[in-house]
Amino acid sequence: KLQFLYLIGAAGVESDREETMFNLPMLVSLGAGFAYPAYKTIDAIESNNAELQAQNLKYWVVFSLLFFVHVLLEFALQYVPLYYWLHALLVAVIATQPLVTEHIFHEVKRYLPQVMERVQAETDKVKSMLRGQ
């Protein structure tokens, strides 16, 4: 019973991941988030359509950010009810709806330089501290 709940993406179920061959929502997420967009990206590259290529680049930026957040917070998010299905749905939406991807991309583009400046400042502080020792 526990493995079935894990397979359908039920949250809060303690299960040993090595025992389970696959997780259905994660397969959906990978198919919708990687396989289909990769195919569309190859088509865009071969078509030499600059607008379509830019749209695909924006998708990969948003997908990478979503993947980063997923990896960073998975330890906590796995206990959110139906998180994996919600994740799969979000990935499917950004993969198939360019306007949603465009909106998320512009929000990321608005805040990312500020975050990167802070990270760079902290990195510079650590470098100077290490050089001073």
Side-chain angles (χ1 to χ4, degrees):
K1 181 178 176 183
L2 288 178
Q3 283 190 335
F4 174 74
L5 290 174
Y6 180 74
L7 288 175
I8 63 167
V13 177
E14 300 264 340
S15 167
D16 189 5
R17 287 187 182 209
E18 286 82 28
E19 293 177 11
T20 307
M21 293 301 290
F22 66 94
N23 178 327
L24 185 59
M26 288 308 287
L27 286 177
V28 170
S29 183
L30 286 173
F34 182 75
Y36 174 71
Y39 170 76
K40 297 299 282 179
T41 300
I42 292 169
D43 279 351
I45 291 169
E46 291 175 351
S47 74
N48 290 326
N49 181 338
E51 185 178 326
L52 197 54
Q53 291 172 352
Q55 180 183 357
N56 280 288
L57 284 172
K58 290 174 184 175
Y59 168 78
W60 289 112
V61 168
V62 172
F63 179 79
S64 299
L65 178 66
L66 183 63
F67 184 74
F68 176 74
V69 169
H70 169 78
V71 169
L72 191 64
L73 300 176
E74 185 180 20
F75 71 93
L77 292 173
Q78 68 182 339
Y79 296 104
V80 174
L82 299 176
Y83 163 72
Y84 291 105
W85 281 111
L86 294 172
H87 182 268
L89 179 65
L90 178 61
V91 166
V93 167
I94 66 168
T96 59
Q97 302 298 318
L99 291 177
V100 174
T101 305
E102 186 82 20
H103 176 73
I104 295 170
F105 176 78
H106 284 293
E107 290 299 314
V108 168
K109 189 173 143 184
R110 189 168 85 182
Y111 291 106
L112 190 61
Q114 298 165 4
V115 172
M116 292 310 294
E117 285 175 14
R118 290 182 190 158
V119 169
Q120 186 64 45
E122 290 298 319
T123 304
D124 291 343
K125 284 181 188 176
V126 170
K127 282 182 184 177
S128 65
M129 284 175 40
L130 290 174
R131 286 182 185 149
Q133 290 181 353

